[in-house]
Amino acid sequence: MGRGLWHSLSTSGLLLGTLFFAASLTPTLLPRSFLTQGVLSGCSLATGYGIGVFASWLWAYMELPQPKGRIRSEG
């Protein structure tokens, strides 16, 4: 994997996508097959990533102040 791929991903999207993925792994009373769990986890990650990217875009669109220093990793 090239270094350019990691820089093209959204940090806020990855953070929110990871939280959605972790939430999809919480136990439920309904048993899930491996395929069902995989599809559910993948859809949850994609949804979280999309919401994170949209929130980042909305933040920039509304011209709110961007984080400075080490907090800001997107460039």
Side-chain angles (χ1 to χ4, degrees):
M1 230 183 266
R3 197 175 161 153
L5 177 64
W6 287 108
H7 289 289
S8 67
L9 296 174
S10 168
T11 304
S12 58
L14 285 176
L15 288 173
L16 200 57
T18 302
L19 288 175
F20 273 51
F21 176 77
S24 75
L25 297 176
T26 57
T28 64
L29 295 176
L30 298 172
R32 298 180 188 147
S33 67
F34 292 113
L35 179 63
T36 305
Q37 182 63 51
V39 169
L40 177 67
S41 295
C43 289
S44 296
L45 182 102
T47 302
Y49 184 82
I51 292 171
V53 169
F54 176 74
S56 179
W57 172 83
L58 187 62
W59 188 276
Y61 179 77
M62 292 175 27
E63 297 179 359
L64 296 172
Q66 296 291 326
K68 294 187 179 14
R70 292 181 61 161
I71 296 172
R72 182 181 169 124
S73 63
E74 297 177 16

